[in-house]
Amino acid sequence: MEKSYQPQTIEGRWYRAWEEAGHFAPHGPGESYCIMLPPPNVTGSLHMGHAFQDTIMDVLTRFHRMKGDNTLWQTGMDHAGIATQMVVERQLAAQGVSRRDIGREKFERAVWEWKDSSGGTIARQMRRLGASVDWDNDRFTMDEDLSQAVTKVFVELYHDDLIYRGKRLVNWDPVLHTALSDLEVISTEENGHLWHICYPRVDGKGYVVVATTRPETLLGDTAVAVNPDDPRYNDLVGLKLELPLTDRTIPVITDKYVDAEFGTGCVKITPGHDFNDYEMGKRHSLPVINVLDDDATLNEQAPPAYRGLDRFVARKKIVADLEAAGLLEKVERHKMMIPRGDRSGAVVEPYLTDQWYVKIQPLADPAIEVVENGSIRFVPENWNKTYFDWMHRIEDWCISRQLWWGHRIPAWYDPDGNIFVGYDESDARKRHGLSDDVQLRQDEDVLDTWFSSALWPFSTLGWPGDSPRIQQYYPTSVLVTGFDIIFFWVARMIMMGLKFMGDVPFREVYIHGLIRDASGQKMSKSKGNVLDPLDLIDGIELETLVTKRTTGLMQPQMAPAIEKATRKDFPDGIQAFGCDALRFTFAALATNGRDIRFDLGRIEGNRNFCNKLWNAARYVLMSTQDHEIGPVGATGSCDRWIISRQHQMIARVQEHIGSYRLDLAAQRLYEFIWNEYCDWYLEFSKPVLQSGTAAEQNATRYTLLSVLETSLRALHPFMPFITEEIWQRIKIPLALDGETIMLQEFPGAGDIDKQAESDISWLQQVLQGIRNIRAELNVAPGKKLNIAFQSGTSADRDRQNRFAELLRGLGKIDDSQWLDDGADTTGYSVALVADLKVLVALKGLVDIEDELARLTKLMEKELSNLKRSEAKLANSRFVENAPPAVVETERGRQLAHQAKLAGLKEQFEKLEQLGER
RNA sequence: GGGCGCGUAGCUCAGCGGUAGAGCACUGCCUUGACAUGGCAGGAGUCACUGGUUCGAUCCCAGUCGUGCCCACCA
């Protein structure tokens, strides 16, 4: 074995071996366990969030697979309509071509070509992470069968009156020329203005001043509204106003919606370009005037002077014209929420169009119910509040998109505009009794990407076919995802699952936090603080990292600042930590309900942990090679102790994985392997292997191997590669015949051995006492000591006797003896283990003053502890009210502190006298 | 305007009614035949603040301050 762990030499090798052997395919005899991978976008590449999420899912998957469950981790990708179309359009644009130039068919072909050539990036990256997904059943939302599922769902919802086509205001992206759902609109606060505009009264008695943030929509105004209870404007009601810059007049109406406190208390009403105004327009039967085209330029409804102008150009011109006409009273600065498309970043326009909608309430009600009644459980639980909040206010879902990449809507129109929905054109004809001579034209639009994602838990399992997979794995076990797509995806899967499968799509939803950079910032390309998980695995030179972070920026002027920050944060680049260290770090940080600041210190520590494990294995193999290892009952106390400790560790790890506390599970594994197995058991084994009996040596060798082997199995879900590599080596001396660790059984917890635990605890305390004396009194670590024991119990004598060899070896002790209770101990330094005095002969080793100082420190600590105990016990209310067990514990503490303090004091006084002489 | 979090060692985070923990960083000693990516021994915290409940509060409750996020049609 190499002297240190070299992850890069083994990771790729093992992954290929597993995949080629088909180990990721579901096969266990036990219950079904299924996780759906949230399908990444085909355009995407693996970022820290994916790596984190994939680690969680892989830990769960590998754990359940080892438990014997019939475990499926379903993988696949999402066609990501808008995102993908934008990428391909950008590529075309680079060649000077637009999608309209080449037409729909050619464009779709171009997207497929691009998907085939570069869509596999994430899949390759997932392999680097060790993700044990079932590649044989890889799915893509645009696959033939998944597309059929989409069509079926659309058709059925339509015929159930749960999908309808309607003309209303939608969020319109004037850059992408498509409608968006409410969720795809991101509102952020931006600086704007509030223009106060005078609308002349037709009776010639002056003006009414309205305040608006959007003067250009004035051309579509069809009323001015005031609050009915606003005394200032009582006389205006029913009056007509001249709409500036037009030859129209509009009425003044009253509506409770108007806030008298805001602006002037008069609101211009533009039903064609504002959601509130649209509603108010309906209430008052106002006409709707649309003054915009689909690219947000002013259309023929606007006066000729403004036609064809972009909305923002028109705004300037209109303001200028109003000012020239003396109709602009004032302009104020105003902070306001600006809605933008989440993909294009363009300011979204409320726009009156025909779109397809899902009538959501009938679907939402049962979806609320299943979370309320616990059929679906959020982890952590407080996310169900977020879910309920949104579900109770949910609005109909606009599902049509004016794009080319996606599932085309299965609706056809006859020349009169009548709608016919069916699986395909002939089905639509058949359903509606249309003869072949009626001309039909298919709807041009495609469906929102999330429409097909909503079907993912069953469409990937073969629905609507009768695949056995769907029986086997639906409902799935747990969904692992981020809070950001609870509305986009989680809620919609629940609604569709209930509607079409008659059951929940998953039983639990584990919501994890967001991975941020070390200073708590969200990672983003534009901030230049992105870490690539593969760079943490393989390492990266500083210069390469700088280049990577500063190329392809949307704002190239940020490059110098990013470079500077990068050089400061990573002066030596990033080391290669290996996949297992990265995974273990993610697991250790996967605490509930909190975002994660990714800290390089943690991954470095875990890389060291890998090396520790590696070297422990190296020691075990070196110590056991050339020996016949018979399976023996572990009889030695140390052997029984480590096994007992391991049982407890395993029980906790199982428990923590079960409650999605991978951080706690990882911590237990780390502590057991490092602080118990390596720090203690391996050290215990050394004296035995040197001078123990043949039987003791055999038991020790077997325990070394078997505890390591068990630890590897427990650790495997977290660190698949190193555990496999070591397991393959130690299965030989253990004569195991499994092919791979990933198909071995996850270890079960056994009984605690109280006797062994208290014995070894005693041994540890004695050794720690001796070590403390050495360190505090600056005795050379290698220097052999003479020690003595005094005034212990018979149990102490028994243990001293049984562990004499271990004490001699690990304490570096030359000679030891028991002293009578009254014997002179002035030549010793003392450590106390309960009543037992462990005495280290000082002669010639140390200054008496140093020992006095050391004892003083110990006494002070003991005294303050004693005082605390005494104070508590002196409080009668404590003694009366606290549970008896607590009081008992406290009395025990008091006695222990008293004894210890007395022992220290006695030694201190003796030495002090010696010093004075 | 609603809702959800967070504030514990220098840093990143666990813990959560009975004497505060880990990793990294720090100090001292140590290249001892698994491992210096290491060993041993240490130092380090008014658990944001103020009240309340309790025999006892870092933990429960109320409020304050700081901080982050989500949702929301005041032009």
Side-chain angles (χ1 to χ4, degrees), chain A residues 362-419:
Chain A
L363 296 170
D365 289 339
I368 291 169
E369 165 80 20
V370 292
V371 176
E372 270 170 355
N373 70 20
S375 305
I376 293 180
R377 203 167 68 86
F378 278 90
V379 180
E381 204 158 9
N382 56 293
W383 286 109
N384 60 14
K385 278 202 166 175
T386 307
Y387 175 82
F388 289 139
D389 245 30
W390 189 69
M391 290 297 278
H392 282 127
R393 292 177 300 114
I394 194 167
E395 305 248 4
D396 285 358
W397 174 18
C398 175
I399 50 171
S400 44
R401 297 289 179 276
Q402 287 64 51
L403 305 174
W404 286 353
W405 177 238
H407 299 100
R408 190 136 171 207
I409 290 176
W412 285 262
Y413 304 93
D414 69 9
D416 297 333
N418 294 307
I419 300 168

Side-chain angles (χ1 to χ4, degrees), chain A residues 832 859 861-870 889-904:
Chain A
L832 283 153
M859 285 191 300
K861 203 157 133 195
E862 220 50 58
L863 185 63
S864 86
N865 285 336
L866 176 62
K867 276 184 175 162
R868 187 173 1 195
S869 276
E870 282 174 343
T889 308
E890 204 55 49
R891 284 196 212 286
R893 274 190 196 133
Q894 184 189 26
L895 291 177
H897 290 142
Q898 275 168 352
K900 239 172 165 177
L901 188 59
L904 291 166

Side-chain angles (χ1 to χ4, degrees), chain A residues 512-541:
Chain A
H512 61 247
L514 194 72
I515 304 282
R516 299 170 174 279
D517 76 0
S519 52
Q521 296 284 310
K522 217 164 162 171
M523 288 189 188
S524 73
K525 176 79 187 162
S526 59
K527 283 184 192 151
N529 62 349
V530 172
L531 281 175
D532 182 336
L534 297 189
D535 291 342
L536 293 166
I537 294 175
D538 297 330
I540 185 168
E541 299 279 329

Side-chain angles (χ1 to χ4, degrees), chain A residues 14-26 37 39-40 46 54 58 61-62 65 71-77 119-140 143 456 469 742:
Chain A
W14 281 119
Y15 195 89
R16 278 191 297 278
W18 294 328
E19 189 175 353
E20 279 163 19
H23 293 329
F24 303 150
L37 176 80
L46 194 91
D54 291 349
D58 198 42
T61 298
R62 286 180 185 269
R65 190 184 287 124
T71 306
L72 168 65
W73 185 6
Q74 174 67 49
T75 189
M77 273 189 290
T121 307
I122 280 213
R124 282 193 298 277
Q125 293 171 321
M126 283 173 66
R127 287 176 164 90
R128 293 296 318 279
L129 276 178
S132 60
V133 299
D134 182 16
W135 292 113
D136 293 343
N137 284 296
D138 199 1
R139 290 288 185 273
F140 180 48
D143 283 347
W456 188 251
R469 286 158 51 85
M742 65 171 283

Side-chain angles (χ1 to χ4, degrees), chain A residues 264-306:
Chain A
T264 61
C266 297
V267 193
K268 63 193 263 321
I269 304 302
T270 323
H273 297 288
D274 184 281
F275 290 104
N276 293 311
D277 294 4
Y278 185 73
E279 291 305 314
M280 202 189 294
K282 279 203 287 194
R283 287 198 289 275
H284 299 270
S285 306
L286 297 174
V288 177
I289 300 177
N290 174 20
V291 298
L292 293 177
D293 264 328
D294 63 6
D295 57 356
T297 57
L298 296 198
N299 66 13
E300 72 289 345
Q301 292 287 337
Y306 307 108

Side-chain angles (χ1 to χ4, degrees), chain A residues 408 410-422 424-444:
Chain A
R408 190 136 171 207
W412 285 262
Y413 304 93
D414 69 9
D416 297 333
N418 294 307
I419 300 168
F420 306 99
V421 169
D424 50 31
E425 187 175 328
S426 74
D427 179 57
R429 284 181 192 277
K430 209 163 68 193
R431 281 170 186 260
H432 299 92
L434 296 178
S435 65
D436 285 353
D437 50 332
V438 178
Q439 280 236 331
L440 288 182
R441 167 182 62 82
Q442 188 174 2
D443 195 307
E444 295 289 324

